[in-house]
């Protein structure tokens, strides 16, 4: 492309739109379904259940240690489908680009999306591009939708947790939210901090194979682990007991949280999951999680109980008890 930045004409549907699609987007997301360039993707469908999810990503800054808005958008939707028990297969991509956005940056973002999709085993098969006047959006926003089929033997829901179930967290909390905050505020620390943004569908597939009776899978994104556990407790009408000493947090991340007055229990993650597992399959699920590159620090953090239904109670490190409530308000806006 001759131009070095996005023009309004790139979203007009005319010649420049066609040039943008065919010189940047099509080569990056290349596959037979997309190449047809119909109004939508035409995909053969088998019988069974479909997991379908959509999300819009407006993270600020758009580039951060551990990723950028492009691979974050792919990871986020892949994970939402995977948490339903679905095997993610196809994605759509909607780009809203601000006039004047540098094409070199768009190429980096698109390449990251293509790499993330390939790593997750999904294909980007349809999409849309709009360009808005300068100031009408902040650089670039991305919407991704995705779907995958759910195997017949899998039945996951936030309403299925039962007393006796054990709770697994796949790794350290708060990496993504703290990374975005430190970048936004230009804070520098001796130890590097980076986002945990990652696709978890390989991990979920392995866990469900080892423990097909898993009751709940959720990725604790906005609102963090604390809010996600509260949502599950309310939907299942059960209680939860978690242990503060078993909640994993990187020391550098904990230092930032202490400095800024943040509770890592409520800070966003983009590459972690919570699993609620029947006790007889809990060890198998944990071991399968640990075998994944993104789950090496997985551990049990608590149990589901019949007491105090709808509430989460944390045993503190000093032996006390603390009620864990849902996050109120937006602790860190525009983190995904």
């Amino acid at each position: 492309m001759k131009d070095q930045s996005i023009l309004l004409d790139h979203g007009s549907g005319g010649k420049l739109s066609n040039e943008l699609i065919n010189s940047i987007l099509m080569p990056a997301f290349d596959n037979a379904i997309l190449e047809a360039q119909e109004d939508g993707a035409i995909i053969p469908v088998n019988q069974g259940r479909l997991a379908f999810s959509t999300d819009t990503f407006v993270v600020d800054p758009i580039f951060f240690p551990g990723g950028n808005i492009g691979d974050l958008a792919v990871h986020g939707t892949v994970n939402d489908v995977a948490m339903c028990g679905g095997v993610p297969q196809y994605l759509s991509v909607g780009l809203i680009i601000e006039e004047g956005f540098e094409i070199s940056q768009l190429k980096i973002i698109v390449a990251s999306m293509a790499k993330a999709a390939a790593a997750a085993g999904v294909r980007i098969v349809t999409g849309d591009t709009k360009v808005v006047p300068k100031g009408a959006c902040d650089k670039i926003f991305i919407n991704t939708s995705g779907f995958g089929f759910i195997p017949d033997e899998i039945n996951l829901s936030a309403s299925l947790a039962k007393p006796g179930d054990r709770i697994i967290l796949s790794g350290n909390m708060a990496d993504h939210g703290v990374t975005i905050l430190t970048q936004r505020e230009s804070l520098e620390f001796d130890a590097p901090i980076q986002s945990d943004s990652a696709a978890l569908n390989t991990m979920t597939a392995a866990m469900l194979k080892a423990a097909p009776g898993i009751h709940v899978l959720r990725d604790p994104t906005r609102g963090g682990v604390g809010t996600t556990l509260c949502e599950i407790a309310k939907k299942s009408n059960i209680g939860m007991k978690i242990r503060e000493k078993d909640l994993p947090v990187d020391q550098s991340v904990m230092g930032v949280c202490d400095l800024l007055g943040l509770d890592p229990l409520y800070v966003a993650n983009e590459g972690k999951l919570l699993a609620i597992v029947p006790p007889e399959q809990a060890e198998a699920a944990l071991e399968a999680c640990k075998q994944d590159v993104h789950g090496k620090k997985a551990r049990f953090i608590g149990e589901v109980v019949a007491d105090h239904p709808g509430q989460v109670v944390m045993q503190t490190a000093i032996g006390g008890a603390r009620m864990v409530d849902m996050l109120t308000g937006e602790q860190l806006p525009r983190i995904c």
Side-chain angles (χ1 to χ4, degrees):
M1 295 181 66
K2 296 179 181 178
D3 302 293
Q4 298 304 307
S5 60
I6 291 294
L7 307 175
L8 284 174
D9 281 350
H10 283 117
S12 67
K15 183 178 180 180
L16 284 184
S17 294
N18 192 268
E19 184 178 337
L20 175 69
I21 291 169
N22 287 294
S23 66
I24 295 181
L25 305 182
M26 291 292 293
F29 304 146
D30 180 43
N31 61 71
I33 296 174
L34 184 63
E35 283 178 0
Q37 296 197 42
E38 303 288 352
D39 282 349
I42 300 174
I43 300 169
V45 178
N46 300 320
Q47 291 183 338
R49 293 172 297 158
L50 188 69
F52 179 78
S53 183
T54 189
D55 205 346
T56 301
F57 296 82
V58 298
V59 64
D60 175 35
I62 58 174
F63 294 96
F64 48 83
N68 62 55
I69 190 172
D71 47 29
L72 177 68
V74 171
H75 294 156
T77 296
V78 164
N79 290 346
D80 284 344
V81 173
M83 297 306 139
C84 297
V87 180
Q89 296 187 5
Y90 301 106
L91 296 181
S92 72
V93 172
L95 301 173
I96 300 175
I97 311 172
E98 182 184 25
E99 177 189 16
F101 189 68
E102 293 182 10
I103 287 177
S104 60
Q105 293 194 348
L106 178 63
K107 288 181 176 179
I108 294 172
I109 291 168
V110 168
S112 296
M113 298 184 76
K115 183 178 180 180
V122 300
R123 286 187 287 174
I124 296 170
V125 295
T126 189
D128 181 47
T129 302
K130 294 290 190 297
V131 177
V132 297
K134 195 169 185 60
C137 80
D138 187 3
K139 296 182 278 295
I140 183 170
F141 296 158
I142 301 177
N143 172 270
T144 47
S145 299
F147 71 83
F149 294 98
I150 303 172
D152 291 339
E153 67 275 17
I154 301 302
N155 188 25
L156 301 176
S157 170
S159 64
L160 293 178
K162 293 179 171 53
D165 287 353
R166 303 189 71 181
I167 305 169
I168 295 172
L169 176 60
S170 65
N172 291 343
M173 301 186 299
D175 291 352
H176 178 73
V178 167
T179 299
I180 296 301
L181 178 63
T182 54
Q183 291 296 303
R184 192 180 298 169
E185 302 301 327
S186 301
L187 300 176
E188 295 184 359
F189 298 90
D190 292 337
I193 298 173
Q194 72 173 31
S195 170
D196 60 346
S197 178
L200 301 178
N201 55 318
T202 301
M203 180 192 294
T204 59
M207 293 178 70
L208 289 168
K209 182 178 180 181
I214 291 176
H215 289 145
V216 184
L217 286 178
R218 291 289 296 273
D219 54 340
T221 52
R222 286 183 299 174
V225 170
T227 299
T228 303
L229 290 177
C230 287
E231 291 173 350
I232 297 170
K234 290 184 182 302
K235 288 183 178 178
S236 294
N237 196 32
I238 47 81
M240 290 184 180
K241 289 184 178 178
I242 60 175
R243 297 174 292 274
E244 186 176 25
K245 68 179 180 62
D246 290 332
L247 293 171
V249 186
D250 178 84
Q251 286 189 344
S252 299
V253 171
M254 191 69 242
V256 175
C257 289
D258 287 341
L259 181 66
L260 301 176
L262 298 173
D263 185 343
L265 198 57
Y266 295 106
V267 178
N269 314 273
E270 289 292 347
K272 301 297 186 308
L273 65 76
L274 286 161
I276 313 295
V277 191
E280 65 274 13
Q281 297 186 10
E283 291 290 347
L286 179 65
E287 185 59 30
C289 189
K290 284 185 172 181
Q291 294 301 313
D292 189 274
V293 65
H294 302 299
K296 295 185 181 302
K297 296 182 179 179
R299 61 179 66 180
F300 294 117
I301 63 168
E303 292 81 35
V304 177
V305 296
D307 299 335
H308 50 78
Q311 296 180 325
V312 179
V313 175
M314 181 168 70
Q315 181 181 355
T316 67
I318 58 174
R322 167 191 160 191
M323 188 70 72
V324 176
D325 204 352
M326 288 188 177
L327 176 67
T328 301
E330 186 74 273
Q331 191 170 224
L332 297 173
R334 295 190 60 188
I335 55 172
C336 62

